[in-house]
Amino acid sequence: MSKIHKALTKAAHEKVEGKPIAPEEIERHEPGFSGCDRHLITLFKPKSIAAEQIRKLKTSLLERAGGDCNRCILITSAVQGEGKSLTATNLAISLAQEINEHVLIIDADLRRPSLDRYLGLNARYGLSDYLADNDALNLPELLVKTAIPKLSALPAGSVTSSAAELLASEKMRNLVKEVRSRYDDRYIIIDSTPIMSTSEPDILSGQVDKIIFIVKAGKTPREVVKRSLLRIDKEKILGVVLNNVDLQTTGYHYGYYRYYGYYGRENAER
């Protein structure tokens, strides 16, 4: 934890002191990615400090969640505005950039979906439409091939006030089983709503293998983080991502920290 902090502090000081920006920090302009959000640093600033933190998160995921039975990962946070969806999308892209990994990202935030915007999908239908007993929609037809090789997406679909009911349905449970069995060679990243304001993470946590929890540094009180973590299965928590915004450097910083580090100062440096 301290090493990551020192690296980010050094980078911030270099920008403040007016040192030139390295060529790899300049945005890439790829025609195939023109519809993607520029905050996807794994695409547009792959050699930045922020992208490196995403790769560290990916490495930890591959090491800790190795095995076919640990490939379905839920991404959630305590409250809104902690960078949960952006982190989930960047992580999915980074995983897809591995030589042997394929990824399916599912936007299960049916209240405030963002996957369409981040990946430039413009999908007409999605998860909510499929779950709302629409027999005219077949799951394979809703999966979108993104501009990123080996990354497919299931958009959220129409915004709904029945998000919890839809995600708690048998149809949703069957959907998760189907994508896990049909696509057993890939990781499934599910972006969910915040824990403290919605019930969807409680519902989805029982359907996944592991959970990654997002915390925005300097924003979320520690007690709120603790209460949030108590609402989900501790054995499934893979780790906590400390996410912070620093406009003086690359725009977004990510650090990977052990879940237990939030429960005592003696563990914070591990």
Side-chain angles (χ1 to χ4, degrees), residues 151-254:
L151 175 62
S152 299
L154 175 56
S158 305
V159 175
T160 176
S161 59
S162 305
E165 290 79 8
L166 291 176
L167 294 178
S169 66
E170 183 178 358
K171 194 168 186 178
M172 179 62 186
R173 292 192 294 272
N174 290 337
L175 181 151
V176 174
K177 291 178 182 177
E178 181 176 352
V179 295
R180 292 178 65 157
S181 60
R182 182 181 299 202
Y183 308 105
D184 59 355
D185 64 336
R186 69 190 62 195
Y187 277 90
I188 301 167
I189 305 295
I190 302 179
D191 178 29
S192 179
T193 50
I195 291 177
M196 295 302 290
S197 56
T198 67
S199 59
E200 287 92 301
D202 305 74
I203 295 167
L204 291 171
S205 63
Q207 304 178 34
V208 300
D209 300 317
K210 296 293 181 181
I211 302 168
I212 293 177
F213 190 83
I214 311 298
V215 177
K216 187 172 183 179
K219 176 187 176 183
T220 313
R222 183 172 298 201
E223 288 303 317
V224 174
V225 173
K226 288 183 178 180
R227 291 200 302 271
S228 300
L229 292 172
L230 289 174
R231 287 180 51 177
I232 50 182
D233 187 351
K234 184 175 73 173
E235 298 301 319
K236 287 189 176 183
I237 298 176
L238 185 64
V240 175
V241 173
L242 183 63
N243 177 29
N244 193 20
V245 178
D246 183 352
L247 298 179
Q248 290 181 318
T249 53
T250 56
Y252 286 82
H253 284 154
Y254 301 87

Side-chain angles (χ1 to χ4, degrees), residues 49 109 235:
I49 295 175
D109 188 341
E235 298 301 319

Side-chain angles (χ1 to χ4, degrees), residues 38-46 48 50-51 54 90 250 254:
R38 295 291 161 169
H39 288 96
L40 296 177
I41 44 86
T42 45
L43 282 181
F44 297 108
K45 295 183 179 180
S48 64
I54 287 290
N90 271 305
T250 56
Y254 301 87

Side-chain angles (χ1 to χ4, degrees), residues 137-154:
L137 297 176
N138 296 316
L139 179 59
E141 297 173 356
L142 297 178
L143 302 183
V144 180
K145 288 186 177 180
T146 71
I148 297 91
K150 300 188 296 178
L151 175 62
S152 299
L154 175 56

Side-chain angles (χ1 to χ4, degrees), residues 1 9 13 23 53 80 89 98 114 120-122 128 140 153 175 192-193 212 214 221 226 250 252 267:
M1 181 172 181
T9 301
H13 286 167
Q53 301 310 306
Q80 194 71 37
T89 310
E98 288 285 306
S114 57
L121 302 180
N122 297 316
S128 63
L175 181 151
S192 179
T193 50
I212 293 177
I214 311 298
K226 288 183 178 180
T250 56
Y252 286 82
N267 293 321

